[in-house]
Amino acid sequence: MSAPIKLILDLDTGIDDALALAYALGSPEVELAAVVCSYGNVTVDTATRNTLALLRLLGHPEVPVYRGADRALDAKAAFEPPAGVVRIHGENGLGGQELSGWCYAAPRNGVDYLAGALDAASEDLRYVPTGPLTNLALALRATSADASALPRATFMGGALTVPGNVTPCAEANIRNDPEAADAVLRSGLPTRMIGLDVTHQVVLTRAETACWRALGTPAGRFFADMTDHYIGIYETNNPHMGGCALHDPLAVAAAIDPSLVGCHAANLRVDLDGATRGRTVCDPDRLRDAQKNCEVALTVDAPRFLEGFLARVERALA
Ligand code: RIB
Ligand code: CA
């Protein structure tokens, strides 16, 4: 039997982050080494509390949870989610479903933990941020290692060939800290971008959440109710999609099994000014460089992903 894949998640724990967590815990080839928390869908404190409570609900209270950055690199104050985001993920980030029984985060700062983990990393480490890239940008500043020699980060964020979801140009995770994303994409770190180009192709419906409810477990009921809230938002905002996009779970899936997505190799940067702030775009200055740092996912085997998603999440909820 081959050695397990060691996974570090970096979550701004709202609804699809919770689904990504369940996906990871239901993946037999994965050992979840830690979760670092971030702001975005909620504050970093709420993300940390949600992660701890979800890990208990899913029967894995032993997984260490670290509190990461509370704001974007250039922000003066700690991040508070705007009203539109509160509506999507609910006041508590979990669609308003109450969860009790959380305990305490590990005392070490999430950025320090991440810098140490990347420095010490072996080939079997997969790091998957599904919120803003602030923790990663700060960890890269803190390590003396050559970024190009560090393990690949598979991040959920960005949009190369499709419009954004918070502005016509920008996707939410990148828009929450464009400077951090730009620093990461220029650092030489190998990355794989799982953006809206592919996450809008993988959709979950109420038929599947009904199966989770029918499991009859507390986790099954919780995840069904939480996800139905999210699907309800999509029914209002994006009725043509017929369900909710599985942004963050697809990033975890593509980190574990890159053959799920088809990628275009490119050197990206992020627009930092004006109306296009937060847009991910090919860097014209590095267009002819032989070395490309980012694999941008543009196609996805949606049926195969969805089949694996349902099997893995059901295993985590049973
Ligand atoms: O744009 C989608 C992303 O923004 C997802 O990661 C979602 O959880 C939010 O963070
Ligand atoms: Ca997220």
Side-chain angles (χ1 to χ4, degrees):
M1 211 173 99
S2 49
I5 294 170
K6 283 201 172 48
L7 180 69
I8 299 176
L9 295 177
D10 185 339
L11 310 176
D12 59 330
T13 316
I15 295 172
D16 60 326
D17 302 81
L19 293 170
L21 185 65
Y23 185 103
L25 291 172
S27 295
E29 65 277 67
V30 164
E31 176 192 318
L32 183 57
V35 183
V36 181
C37 294
S38 181
Y39 65 88
N41 292 323
V42 287
T43 65
V44 69
D45 287 326
T46 303
T48 307
R49 196 194 61 205
N50 287 349
T51 304
L52 288 161
L54 287 164
L55 284 167
R56 280 178 76 99
L57 177 71
L58 296 170
H60 286 279
E62 78 286 357
V63 176
V65 177
Y66 298 90
R67 181 185 184 279
D70 68 359
R71 68 193 70 185
L73 294 182
D74 286 358
K76 302 234 173 344
F79 179 91
E80 289 288 338
V85 173
V86 173
R87 204 172 68 80
I88 294 170
H89 289 270
E91 201 68 56
N92 68 351
L94 300 175
Q97 302 306 309
E98 284 310 324
L99 257 193
S100 58
W102 57 281
C103 48
Y104 293 96
R108 194 166 171 206
N109 176 279
V111 172
D112 292 345
Y113 164 77
L114 186 58
L118 291 177
D119 260 345
S122 57
E123 282 212 340
D124 56 4
L125 180 83
R126 315 279 161 95
Y127 166 63
V128 184
T130 64
L133 294 176
T134 317
N135 289 329
L136 178 55
L138 291 169
L140 290 175
R141 279 184 194 172
T143 157
S144 51
D146 171 9
S148 66
L150 294 175
R152 182 183 304 281
T154 299
F155 67 93
M156 192 283 131
L160 191 65
T161 62
V162 296
N165 59 358
V166 283
T167 74
C169 297
E171 181 280 330
N173 288 337
I174 303 299
R175 187 67 173 76
N176 276 335
D177 195 348
E179 281 74 19
D182 191 55
V184 167
L185 290 169
R186 289 174 186 276
S187 68
L189 181 79
T191 54
R192 182 177 298 119
M193 175 171 131
I194 306 298
L196 302 180
D197 311 85
V198 281
T199 66
H200 276 179
Q201 298 184 45
V202 291
V203 170
L204 189 76
T205 73
R206 290 181 191 268
E208 285 92 35
T209 59
C211 297
W212 298 346
R213 195 172 288 106
L215 291 171
T217 62
R221 280 190 293 274
F222 182 91
F223 270 73
D225 292 346
M226 173 187 76
T227 309
D228 279 354
H229 167 92
Y230 197 49
I231 293 173
I233 298 291
Y234 272 83
E235 284 166 352
T236 306
N237 293 355
N238 307 74
H240 64 282
M241 284 182 64
C244 69
L246 293 168
H247 303 289
D248 296 349
L250 183 60
V252 176
I256 297 170
D257 178 3
S259 75
L260 282 169
V261 290
C263 295
H264 170 72
N267 288 317
L268 299 185
R269 67 168 173 77
V270 177
D271 283 352
L272 300 179
D273 299 308
T276 62
R277 180 169 164 77
R279 177 175 70 153
T280 44
V281 63
C282 291
D283 182 356
D285 296 336
R286 292 183 293 154
L287 209 49
R288 289 187 296 152
D289 288 5
Q291 174 71 38
K292 313 284 189 209
N293 297 328
C294 188
E295 292 178 1
V296 185
L298 296 181
T299 60
V300 55
D301 186 341
R304 187 156 70 88
F305 163 73
L306 281 168
E307 193 185 331
F309 171 81
L310 294 173
R312 287 159 192 252
V313 171
E314 200 162 307
R315 192 175 300 128
L317 302 181

